[in-house]
């Protein structure tokens, strides 16, 4: 198969139309040795190659992988598998037209509009000129002969000039652009997966804790101890501060030996606080917008966790 460079070594046949079998373009393969990738549009967000297996493992653990495995590259960083081809085309200098001359040339040409079809592109073989974006260019003898044979070509603006591209150049450019778009989508998807894992982790941890604590001898939920400083404009606004911890709240009256709690009281402290119902912290699990279950936030109060451990040991001994 012919490569782009092979075609450029000889004289260029700037034809438009069906390519011969030996002219099918194969882009140069790129080496897959990336250390990290950067989120498109934000160079400060990075994912390193060493992080990918862990992300995928977490996605599987959180039951997310089935919906993501077709969007990201498994066990590796997504990268463009091809080296960007060097494409220059044949450049033409720009000469701006007098409006009357431009209108005359436009009306006197009968040649088909070339791409891009913007209504401003025309070719006038009699005057050996063509126009793109209201600018006039000389039409070389080679191009006149090319057009008289019924062939077409691509014209594109390029750094203030116009480039005439071959079929091979356009095919290589389109193949690389397609691969670039696909790669950017995979990179974006990998960052989105990482964000979803971050959102899922606290819920997943809370579910595991809820299952372990389901054998406690009373019903319970998670709450916080609301403070006035957590209700100001500079705080979370819901009674929390940055260092707020989650407590276990006994949802019913309970008494067992030295431990006695009234309904809606904190496990770690007896009295001193009002009902904790208004400080309940829970995740809402939804399907199609409907809440199907709720999960208490993970308990982080050390005193609560210590008393829960003693209660669980008593349950295990009984």
């Amino acid at each position: 198969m012919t490569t782009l460079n092979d075609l450029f070594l000889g004289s260029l046949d700037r034809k438009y139309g069906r390519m011969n079998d030996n002219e099918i373009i194969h882009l140069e393969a790129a080496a897959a040795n990336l250390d990290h990738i950067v989120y498109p549009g934000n160079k400060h967000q990075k994912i390193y190659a060493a992080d990918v297996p862990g992300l995928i493992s977490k996605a599987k653990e959180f039951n997310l992988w089935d919906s993501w495995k077709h969007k990201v590259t498994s066990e590796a960083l997504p990268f463009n598998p091809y080296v960007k081809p060097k494409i220059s085309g044949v450049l033409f200098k720009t000469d701006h037209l007098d409006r009357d001359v431009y209108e005359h040339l436009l009306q006197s040409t009968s040649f088909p509009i070339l791409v891009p079809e913007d209504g401003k592109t025309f070719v006038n073989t009699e005057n050996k000129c063509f126009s793109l974006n209201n600018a006039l260019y000389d039409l070389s003898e080679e191009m006149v002969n090319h057009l008289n044979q019924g062939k077409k070509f691509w014209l594109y603006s390029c750094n203030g000039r116009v480039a005439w591209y071959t079929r091979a150049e356009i095919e290589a450019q389109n193949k690389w652009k397609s691969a670039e778009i696909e790669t950017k989508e995979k990179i974006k998807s990998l960052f989105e997966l990482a964000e979803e894992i971050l959102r899922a982790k606290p819920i997943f941890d809370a579910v595991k804790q809820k299952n372990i604590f389901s054998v406690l001898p009373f019903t319970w939920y998670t709450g916080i101890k609301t403070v006035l400083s957590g209700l100001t404009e500079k705080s979370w606004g819901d009674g929390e501060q940055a260092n707020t911890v989650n407590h276990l709240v006994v949802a019913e009256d309970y008494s067992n030996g030295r431990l006695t709690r009234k309904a809606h009281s904190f496990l770690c402290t007896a009295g001193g606080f009002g009902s904790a119902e208004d400080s309940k912290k829970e995740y809402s699990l939804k399907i199609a917008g409907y809440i199907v279950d709720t999960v208490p936030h993970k308990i982080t109060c050390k005193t609560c966790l210590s008393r829960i451990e003693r209660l669980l040991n008593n349950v295990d001994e009984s």
Side-chain angles (χ1 to χ4, degrees), residues 236-298:
W236 301 120
D238 57 0
E240 289 190 59
Q241 292 179 311
N243 60 348
T244 297
V245 296
N246 297 323
H247 303 268
L248 183 143
V249 180
V250 182
E252 57 186 330
D253 291 343
Y254 176 77
S255 181
N256 182 9
R258 291 183 297 176
L259 181 62
T260 299
R261 292 289 183 271
K262 290 185 177 181
H264 309 297
S265 297
F266 295 103
L267 179 63
C268 56
T269 51
F273 288 91
S275 173
E277 280 186 284
D278 294 336
S279 67
K280 184 182 292 189
K281 304 291 290 185
E282 60 185 14
Y283 300 106
S284 297
L285 305 183
K286 299 180 180 180
I287 296 179
Y290 295 96
I291 298 176
V292 296
D293 194 9
T294 57
V295 179
H297 281 205
K298 185 179 179 181

Side-chain angles (χ1 to χ4, degrees), residues 146-164:
H146 182 96
L147 293 168
N148 286 336
Q149 293 173 27
K151 297 179 180 179
K152 297 181 181 179
F153 50 79
W154 282 269
L155 292 173
Y156 285 98
S157 296
C158 181
N159 298 324
R161 293 182 169 187
V162 167
W164 174 22

Side-chain angles (χ1 to χ4, degrees), residues 71-120:
K71 301 178 185 178
V72 301
T73 305
S74 180
E75 305 297 334
L77 290 177
F79 73 103
N80 196 326
Y82 303 113
V83 175
K84 187 174 184 178
K86 294 180 180 179
I87 297 173
S88 60
V90 174
L91 294 175
F92 299 86
K93 292 184 178 179
T94 306
D95 292 317
H96 290 286
L97 279 175
D98 178 87
R99 188 67 196 173
D100 292 338
V101 175
Y102 179 86
E103 292 293 341
H104 170 73
L105 289 171
L106 179 60
Q107 292 171 10
S108 64
T109 184
S110 59
F111 209 87
I113 299 296
L114 301 175
V115 293
E117 296 179 357
D118 56 5
K120 301 176 182 178

Side-chain angles (χ1 to χ4, degrees), residues 19 22 36 53 70 87 166 188 191 199 269 293:
M19 298 183 71
N22 68 330
H36 69 276
H70 302 298
I87 297 173
T166 66
K188 184 180 177 182
F191 277 93
R199 290 192 297 268
T269 51
D293 194 9

Side-chain angles (χ1 to χ4, degrees), residues 222-235:
T222 302
I224 63 167
K225 294 178 179 178
T226 304
V227 292
L228 292 177
S229 56
L231 295 170
T232 63
E233 293 181 358
K234 295 182 180 181
S235 71

Side-chain angles (χ1 to χ4, degrees), residues 8 10 247 316:
F8 288 170
H247 303 268
D316 290 339

